[in-house]
Amino acid sequence: MPRIVNIVKKGLYRDSVQLLHISDQVRRLEGVLNAMIAMGTKLNKEILAREGLLTPEGRDASENDLVIALKISDLADLNGILARVEDLLSKTPTQDLEIYSDLDYALDSNRDINLALVSVPGQYAREVVMKLLDRGLHIHLFSNHVPIEHEVEMKRYAVEKGLLLMGPEAGTSIISGVAIAFANQVRRGPVGIISASGTGLQEVSVLLHRIGLGISHGIGVGGRDLSREVEGIMTLFSIEVLERDPATGVIVVISKPPSQDVTRRVIERIKAGGKGYVTCFIGGEILDIGEKHRGRVIQTRTLHGAALETTRLAKSQLYWEARRMLGIDEKILNKIEDGISRLREGQRYVRGLYVGGTLAYEAMYILKEYVGDIYSNTPLKEEYRLDNPWTSRENTIVDLGGSEFTEGRPHPMIDPSIRVSRIAEEARDPEVAVIMLDFILGYGSHSDPVGAHLDALRRAIESSRSSGRELIVLAHIVGTDSDPQNMALQREILERLGVVVLPTNAMMALAAAMITMGRADKEFIEEFEEKYLVGF
């Protein structure tokens, strides 16, 4: 009989990403059926319980304790396994890097540094950032839970110093072709992107790369920059920076809907500029910009639409080919029609399991027009917030990068284990017709995201068929063929499994709507394109 063992290491801390890699290595050891090495946070203990890996010893661990949770065969060498775990825990993941204990000494020793990536607990970020700004460095602030009053203070000071402060909670930036944090390998080109969304920046930069365009800079300003409290401080400053940049010809501004006052302030600044602009405030208000600016300033409703209108401004001869490339072709349409024909009566719900928060938001914005309001842990309307984010109901889209799923754990772009488990749960619901998944490639992401989901997807599809149902799985891959994960292979593996791969997130949402409505025709697609993919 398998044994469940929990060993608690009191007061021992290791970074969640390091523990993820250690867990992967331990699972490969002889006699190990499952393993999770993690800090004893409430979330991690919930996951251990769901996986059947929690014992009373682990349950009593505090968030400052490290838990070694093992499921091993009855013949496994427990002492040998634990010795290997201890060996892995003793190694630092930064052995090949220069490590400094003093920030000033590090900067004095590397005087050519002009940008710093900061990832410290949010309450301590201000102390580090202000010192770096005093030393004249641009900042990419990855930290979350930064007090908003600190964000305002730091950004105002950065602007005074003429420096970029990207973040906090900036998941993605691309500066002079260098990918920072989660970003894709895209070509250089004339398009500058200012984004309050990491995955929004990734989606648009990747689509432009596929079309044949490139990025001068991608500035991630942090998700709160366009809020009423922060007032778009870094967005407005970034517009000034890109207006002066000779390598930038067209500027794209991306965000979930900002506050009305900030929207108007940004649009007024854009109208005063001299370059071409595309805004994408997903699902936000479309303002009257006046005839004088029409054609130079274009507002869009979706990330897909933003990529198309940017193409129109930057290289108009590519526009119609881009429309074709990013659309639903005959082959995909046939797959959707075939899937609809196989659904059983009563299968009517959509379940979206997203690792990209803005992609989840965009999907909800589109789908609500076709299937009604969507339940979520990050809903468009507060009354549709899930009572329990671990359990879906009716039409549900979940942002697995939300704080409920990431406390003390790596982001699901790095560690897909929560989504892998969730796929099986959604597949068991006889009313589910379609599951939507985003796979985000690039630097910082899992080395093989599709491979990590493969067994779970195969089991979900097979178990549905064995119970007389057809489960349709849709996927969208955010990536390029230059990314380290080999996008062509990722796509091929999904398609061999029967997953329908869509060229954009907006098209995946459209496909989900078509399936639930039982309608797969070109007229529907044309109506969608006119509503969501054109500029204003």
Side-chain angles (χ1 to χ4, degrees), residues 160-467:
E160 286 178 20
K161 304 278 285 185
L163 297 168
L164 291 171
L165 172 51
M166 298 168 278
E169 300 182 35
T172 304
S173 291
I174 304 170
I175 304 300
S176 299
V178 178
I180 300 173
F182 297 108
N184 303 89
Q185 185 62 53
V186 296
R187 71 173 60 82
R188 299 291 302 278
V191 180
I193 301 176
I194 302 165
S195 182
S197 156
T199 50
L201 196 161
Q202 287 187 268
E203 172 84 336
V204 172
S205 64
V206 159
L207 296 182
L208 292 174
H209 175 91
R210 292 184 198 168
I211 290 166
L213 294 171
I215 308 302
S216 57
H217 306 284
I219 302 173
V221 296
R224 300 184 303 197
D225 192 70
L226 290 161
S227 67
R228 183 175 289 104
E229 294 84 358
V230 185
E231 299 181 318
I233 294 170
M234 196 49 54
T235 297
L236 294 168
F237 179 66
S238 298
I239 289 172
E240 302 289 344
V241 170
L242 293 182
E243 276 280 353
R244 296 193 300 266
D245 177 36
T248 300
V250 177
I251 299 170
V252 185
V253 183
I254 300 168
S255 176
K256 296 174 186 176
S259 72
Q260 285 189 341
D261 289 345
V262 175
T263 300
R264 284 173 168 74
R265 193 172 303 156
V266 171
I267 292 294
E268 287 304 313
R269 176 60 192 87
I270 285 172
K271 286 162 63 175
K275 297 188 176 183
Y277 281 87
V278 174
T279 66
C280 180
F281 301 145
I282 301 169
E285 184 181 6
I286 300 294
L287 300 180
D288 181 7
I289 58 171
E291 196 62 37
K292 176 183 176 182
H293 306 288
R294 208 171 304 281
R296 181 182 69 83
V297 179
I298 302 174
Q299 301 169 84
T300 61
R301 290 192 166 115
T302 63
L303 300 168
H304 183 150
L308 289 177
E309 294 302 330
T310 301
T311 303
R312 194 196 295 273
L313 283 180
K315 200 168 185 179
S316 60
Q317 61 267 38
L318 295 178
Y319 176 79
W320 289 106
E321 175 60 17
R323 285 275 300 246
R324 183 200 63 78
M325 183 189 306
L326 302 184
I328 291 179
D329 60 21
E330 201 73 37
K331 182 179 177 182
I332 294 175
L333 190 60
N334 289 338
K335 290 180 180 179
I336 294 171
E337 289 176 335
D338 182 62
I340 291 171
S341 70
R342 295 171 182 269
L343 291 177
R344 196 170 70 180
E345 187 176 353
Q347 285 186 266
R348 60 186 184 277
Y349 291 136
V350 176
R351 299 289 161 80
L353 303 178
Y354 275 85
V355 300
T358 297
L359 301 183
Y361 185 94
E362 182 183 52
M364 285 190 285
Y365 163 65
I366 291 170
L367 276 169
K368 71 178 175 59
E369 295 296 321
Y370 300 104
V371 304
D373 289 303
I374 311 289
Y375 286 94
S376 178
N377 60 323
T378 56
L380 301 181
K381 297 178 181 177
E382 189 58 33
E383 58 264 38
Y384 287 91
R385 182 174 296 279
L386 289 168
D387 294 331
N388 178 0
W390 295 89
T391 303
S392 300
R393 56 180 297 190
E394 299 177 13
N395 293 305
T396 293
I397 290 178
V398 181
D399 172 13
L400 293 167
S403 58
E404 311 95 321
F405 303 107
T406 55
E407 179 196 354
R409 292 184 58 80
H411 192 278
M413 287 163 62
I414 303 171
D415 177 8
S417 57
I418 290 179
R419 183 161 74 168
V420 167
S421 299
R422 189 74 174 254
I423 287 170
E425 294 177 25
E426 306 297 357
R428 283 193 289 269
D429 187 336
E431 293 185 303
V432 171
V434 57
I435 292 178
M436 305 165 64
L437 303 169
D438 59 334
F439 291 93
I440 301 180
L441 312 186
Y443 300 107
S445 292
H446 192 282
S447 60
D448 181 16
V450 170
H453 291 78
L454 193 57
D455 287 343
L457 286 171
R458 185 181 290 113
R459 287 195 299 269
I461 293 169
E462 290 174 353
S463 66
S464 296
R465 287 175 179 166
S466 67
S467 61

Side-chain angles (χ1 to χ4, degrees), residues 474-491:
L474 306 178
H476 168 53
I477 303 172
V478 180
T480 73
D481 287 331
S482 300
D483 284 329
Q485 292 89 347
N486 190 339
M487 180 177 170
L489 180 59
Q490 299 281 308
R491 181 189 183 103

Side-chain angles (χ1 to χ4, degrees), residues 73-222:
S73 67
D74 54 357
L75 298 177
D77 177 8
L78 177 59
N79 290 333
I81 293 167
L82 291 176
R84 178 58 177 152
V85 173
E86 292 287 354
D87 179 56
L88 292 168
L89 288 171
S90 68
K91 296 178 179 177
T92 63
T94 56
Q95 292 178 110
D96 297 329
L97 300 177
E98 289 186 59
I99 300 173
Y100 297 89
S101 58
D102 181 83
L103 183 57
D104 286 320
Y105 180 71
L107 295 174
D108 290 339
S109 302
N110 300 273
R111 293 186 176 275
D112 57 339
I113 291 175
N114 64 359
L115 187 149
L117 188 152
V118 177
S119 181
V120 298
Q123 65 268 36
Y124 305 120
R126 179 187 175 279
E127 178 183 353
V128 177
V129 167
M130 295 299 270
K131 179 178 285 191
L132 289 166
L133 292 173
D134 277 332
R135 296 292 297 261
L137 273 71
H138 302 284
I139 310 292
H140 181 105
L141 181 55
F142 193 76
S143 305
N144 56 12
H145 305 303
V146 174
I148 199 159
E149 62 272 17
H150 289 184
E151 177 175 350
V152 172
E153 179 189 3
M154 291 185 295
K155 285 184 170 177
R156 285 178 176 164
Y157 190 55
V159 171
E160 286 178 20
K161 304 278 285 185
L163 297 168
L164 291 171
L165 172 51
M166 298 168 278
E169 300 182 35
T172 304
S173 291
I174 304 170
I175 304 300
S176 299
V178 178
I180 300 173
F182 297 108
N184 303 89
Q185 185 62 53
V186 296
R187 71 173 60 82
R188 299 291 302 278
V191 180
I193 301 176
I194 302 165
S195 182
S197 156
T199 50
L201 196 161
Q202 287 187 268
E203 172 84 336
V204 172
S205 64
V206 159
L207 296 182
L208 292 174
H209 175 91
R210 292 184 198 168
I211 290 166
L213 294 171
I215 308 302
S216 57
H217 306 284
I219 302 173
V221 296

Side-chain angles (χ1 to χ4, degrees), residues 38-89:
M39 299 305 296
T41 64
K42 179 182 177 182
L43 173 60
N44 284 335
K45 288 190 283 189
E46 286 178 5
I47 294 169
L48 287 171
R50 287 173 176 271
E51 293 288 320
L53 290 173
L54 189 64
T55 70
E57 293 83 1
R59 190 174 291 110
D60 290 339
S62 79
E63 62 182 15
N64 298 315
D65 302 331
L66 188 145
V67 180
I68 302 168
L70 303 170
K71 182 178 182 180
I72 58 176
S73 67
D74 54 357
L75 298 177
D77 177 8
L78 177 59
N79 290 333
I81 293 167
L82 291 176
R84 178 58 177 152
V85 173
E86 292 287 354
D87 179 56
L88 292 168
L89 288 171

